[in-house]
Amino acid sequence: MKPVAEALQSSRLFAHLEPAALVGILEASLQISGEQGTPINARPGDVVIVIDGSLQLVSGDHAAAVFDAGQDDHDLAVVQVIPPGSKLTMTGKAQVLVM
C-alpha cells in the first residue's frame, strides 16, 4: 500500500491542494488500515475516503453498498453520507481516512 499522503497527492480529488492543506487534512483525520472484517468507526456527518481496497456500508435497514478505490477509473472512493445506524467494514485489505 502507498503512503496515505502520496496516495492523496496523486489523486484527482486532492492533487491541487497546497502541501499545508494536505497536512491539515491528515492531522484532522483518523487513518485506519486493516484486513477483511475490520470495522470502520464512522458516524453520520463523517466523510470516509477509501485510499486502497474497499469497504462495505450496511445501513440500518440492511441495504448494502460497496465502495472500492480504483473502481470505474476513480482513484479514491468517497463515502459522503453515512446513514444513522450504519456499519462500515473492510471487504479485504484496505486503507481509509475518516474525517
Side-chain angles (χ1 to χ4, degrees):
M1 281 193 255
K2 263 188 205 190
V4 174
E6 182 182 325
L8 291 177
Q9 286 176 321
S10 64
S11 74
R12 288 177 280 175
L13 186 61
F14 294 97
H16 301 291
L17 285 180
E18 295 293 326
L22 188 60
V23 168
I25 288 171
L26 292 172
E27 287 175 348
S29 301
L30 175 63
Q31 297 179 35
I32 303 169
S33 296
E35 303 291 330
Q36 181 174 354
T38 300
I40 307 298
N41 295 321
R43 304 165 301 205
D46 285 345
V47 173
V48 178
I49 299 173
V50 183
I51 304 294
D52 190 26
S54 63
L55 60 85
Q56 181 180 45
L57 180 147
V58 178
S59 66
D61 64 359
H62 304 291
V66 174
F67 296 86
D68 187 1
Q71 184 179 30
D72 299 327
D73 294 330
H74 293 78
D75 50 357
L76 301 174
V78 181
V79 184
Q80 296 179 2
V81 177
I82 301 170
S86 296
K87 293 184 181 178
L88 290 160
T89 55
M90 293 180 181
T91 60
K93 189 174 182 178
Q95 187 173 24
V96 302
L97 288 180
V98 179
M99 301 189 281

